[in-house]
Amino acid sequence: MPLPKPPTKRADMLTAEDFASQPKPVKQAKSNTRSSSAKAAPINVQPPVLELVRPAPAVAEQVTPPKPASTKTGRAPTPIVADKADSMPVATKPSNGDTRSRANPSPGSSPTRRRRDVGGPAKLFVLDTNVLLHDPMSLFRFEEHDIYLPMITLEELDGHKKGMTEVARNARQVSRDLDQLAADMSSRQQVDPASGIDLTKTGHVEAKGKLYFQTMGMEVHLPAGLPQGKADNQILGVVQALRSQHPGRDVVLVSKDINMRIKARALGLIAEDYFNDKTLEDGDLLYTGVLPLPADFWDRHAKGMESWQQGGITYYRVSGPMVSVFLVNQFVYLESPGATPWYGKVLEITGKTAVLKTLKDYANQKHSVWGVAARNREQNFALNLLMDPECDFVTLTGSAGTGKTLMTLAAALCQVLDERRYTEIIVTRVTVPVGEDIGFLPGTEEEKMSPWMGALDDNLEVLARGDNSAGEWGRAATNELVRSKIKIKSMNFMRGRTFLNKFLIIDEAQNLTPKQMKTLITRAGPGTKIICLGNLAQIDTPYLTEGSSGLTYAVDKFKGWPHGGHITLARGERSRLADFASEVL
């Protein structure tokens, strides 16, 4: 009898101990005729097999091995290894009598592939309704881990789907995603819903886990002080029951509700906040847009350095160790005692070389913008960004009194009225009150927005006060002209609009969500410049933090873009009282 064909794929080699522990094949009686061979009763033995790393429970199959090679030479028979690509399932040793099939895993078990990737069973995350309403894509944000949705969560989604609010839109989007996942179930999953739904079916390849629905009632043992009818307590009961059903697997409750996480931890359950919406864990790690240079920068980068002048601006092409940390449109400076400070901006990065350019000194009164001159280093950097026609998107952050609105409005008036680079100024902001809401406001859209634009009026008063030679009539005419070029718009009507050659100012941008920020920035048409102003220490929108604010999101995503820039203003210039209050209060 000829030897069996070798496997087409290379298999893993067995160790000496594993090979020695394999059962030896039993020789069959020789038969000279085909008929006698057919009449002989086959002897079922366990063939040599491969032992997978952390194998899932499987049914051990009895197969008849092929006739071993002749041993006349005294050599041991060669072990036969099954091909992994063969259609026949690979037999594995049963563990502790468990003979469950790998073809139908339960929420408590995970495929071998996933367990091998993460070094253990995947976690089972139970999502609260507020997570889905906060981020409708949260179903696909948990990588290789599984998602479990209690039925009360689906009921709450159904209750929030009506209306035109952001929460209602998110509820409808989640419902559509769940409908697509459930409609694409295979026939096996329709027979057994507990087998789970692959989250990759709708094209989200990053989500390698499965989605499980609660399909039956669970025995819940909660303290008497927690009423069973409340939705939060029902979800806590589901988490507790799942942990009892799957003791070898981490069952984690994910919720944006702080009190619910506290109750879960008091019951001994694992509870976590939803962190995927956070751009940064710590607000102090936010990109500042400024990089100080070491004192020996020119000595370390003098080799091969080139410099030239063009239009009164000096350019430097340098190469050295600092180039790897530079970002395009990042400001650099070198200040040393007894020497003239040098301020520059990274204009271009090509391979291991970078081009630096000197800045225009807006601290000098003859270079003032609409009568406003920079009072510190960061304000000079900010005015260079605001007056740069090649910079389409600028973000300015800083505490109260750092001059964000005043410099932006001065740069806008200079480029609209003097240089005629833009046709008009559009100002908008998030209408989130600090205290109690005053109710509905009368009038048109601009009249309704005027109480929210007190900062705009204050800064226009400062800018108009600087012109003393025009007289009272001249200042009044200037104010009318300035007012005619400024349009105050509400964010509620921004969707679908396109701004052409406009100077768009978004004030109090720290109260925007990342989705709202995307909606506003994508309104920009050709020739439009967008400025986002905000103080990350004064967030008034619920569920937003410094790490999840839309302003933080925009700063992080646009850093290094050749047509965008960011500056964090460090020092307040409003008054000594405001500066002291910002530090101690």
Side-chain angles (χ1 to χ4, degrees), residues 298 305-318 332 342-348 354-361 384:
W298 295 115
M305 184 181 68
E306 303 176 15
S307 64
W308 66 94
Q309 286 190 345
Q310 183 179 350
I313 299 176
T314 305
Y315 297 85
Y316 302 89
R317 179 176 282 109
V318 298
V332 293
W342 181 85
Y343 304 113
K345 185 175 75 170
V346 181
L347 185 65
E348 176 186 329
V355 177
L356 310 179
K357 60 174 288 189
T358 56
L359 301 179
K360 191 174 182 179
D361 186 15
N384 274 274

Side-chain angles (χ1 to χ4, degrees), residues 29-38 67:
K30 293 184 179 181
S31 178
N32 296 328
T33 62
R34 184 181 301 270
S35 59
S36 62
S37 176
K67 186 176 179 180

Side-chain angles (χ1 to χ4, degrees), residues 5 24 52 106 175 291 389 412 414 450-451:
K5 294 182 179 181
K24 296 182 179 180
L52 297 178
S106 65
S175 299
L291 179 66
C414 179
S450 59

Side-chain angles (χ1 to χ4, degrees), residues 106-433:
S106 65
S109 62
S110 59
T112 305
R113 172 187 56 78
R114 189 184 311 159
R115 296 184 64 180
R116 186 172 61 233
D117 292 343
V118 300
K123 295 182 180 179
L124 185 62
F125 287 101
V126 182
L127 300 190
D128 193 4
T129 313
N130 49 41
V131 175
L132 299 173
L133 297 177
H134 179 74
D135 182 8
M137 300 301 294
S138 58
L139 286 171
F140 312 102
R141 307 286 195 192
F142 290 88
E143 297 179 348
E144 75 275 3
H145 302 289
D146 295 335
I147 307 297
Y148 191 95
L149 293 183
M151 276 300 167
I152 189 62
T153 298
L154 301 179
E155 288 291 330
E156 288 190 311
L157 280 177
D158 186 65
H160 286 90
K161 68 181 182 182
K162 298 179 181 178
M164 298 301 296
T165 62
E166 189 77 15
V167 172
R169 281 192 290 268
N170 291 344
R172 290 193 292 268
Q173 182 177 343
V174 173
S175 299
R176 286 191 293 268
D177 291 338
L178 292 176
D179 180 60
Q180 291 179 3
L181 288 169
D184 199 26
M185 294 173 64
S186 64
S187 59
R188 178 181 56 81
Q189 289 169 331
Q190 291 175 1
V191 175
D192 184 12
S195 60
I197 306 170
D198 289 329
L199 291 170
T200 56
K201 289 186 176 180
T202 54
H204 298 85
V205 295
E206 70 279 1
K208 301 177 181 178
K210 287 190 174 184
L211 173 65
Y212 298 96
F213 292 104
Q214 181 185 357
T215 56
M216 62 185 68
M218 295 183 175
E219 187 177 356
V220 179
H221 301 284
L222 292 177
L226 296 177
Q228 298 290 336
K230 191 175 180 181
D232 289 357
N233 298 336
Q234 293 186 39
I235 296 176
L236 291 175
V238 170
V239 176
Q240 188 182 65
L242 287 174
R243 193 183 67 166
S244 301
Q245 292 178 8
H246 312 293
R249 189 176 187 186
D250 289 338
V251 180
V252 183
L253 171 65
V254 182
S255 176
K256 298 290 293 181
D257 189 351
I258 297 178
N259 292 328
M260 189 172 180
R261 297 200 302 267
I262 293 175
K263 288 193 293 184
R265 289 162 183 163
L267 295 173
L269 305 175
I270 305 176
E272 294 180 0
D273 191 5
Y274 180 66
F275 296 107
N276 194 272
D277 61 333
K278 289 182 170 56
T279 306
L280 295 174
E281 292 295 334
D282 188 359
D284 295 335
L285 302 177
L286 184 65
Y287 171 65
T288 62
V290 180
L291 179 66
L293 298 178
D296 59 346
F297 173 78
W298 295 115
D299 297 334
R300 297 173 60 187
H301 297 75
K303 184 178 180 180
M305 184 181 68
E306 303 176 15
S307 64
W308 66 94
Q309 286 190 345
Q310 183 179 350
I313 299 176
T314 305
Y315 297 85
Y316 302 89
R317 179 176 282 109
V318 298
S319 59
M322 287 287 292
V323 175
S324 60
V325 299
F326 285 159
L327 291 173
V328 178
N329 278 349
Q330 186 180 35
F331 290 91
V332 293
Y333 67 92
L334 181 59
E335 293 179 347
S336 57
T340 304
W342 181 85
Y343 304 113
K345 185 175 75 170
V346 181
L347 185 65
E348 176 186 329
I349 298 176
T350 306
K352 297 182 179 180
T353 63
V355 177
L356 310 179
K357 60 174 288 189
T358 56
L359 301 179
K360 191 174 182 179
D361 186 15
Y362 286 101
N364 195 331
Q365 193 62 37
K366 67 179 182 180
H367 293 155
S368 62
V369 179
W370 201 261
V372 175
R375 294 189 178 183
N376 55 52
R377 179 180 62 234
E378 284 76 18
Q379 286 189 355
N380 187 23
F381 294 160
L383 286 174
N384 274 274
L385 282 178
L386 294 170
M387 298 299 294
D388 188 359
E390 296 297 324
C391 197
D392 300 332
F393 182 74
V394 179
T395 52
L396 300 180
T397 61
S399 59
T402 51
K404 302 183 296 294
T405 308
L406 180 64
M407 290 188 300
T408 303
L409 194 56
L413 293 173
C414 179
Q415 296 176 85
V416 170
L417 295 177
D418 295 345
E419 300 179 3
R420 300 186 180 276
R421 187 175 298 157
Y422 308 99
T423 57
E424 65 180 0
I425 305 169
I426 297 178
V427 184
T428 185
R429 61 164 290 176
V430 187
T431 54
V432 179

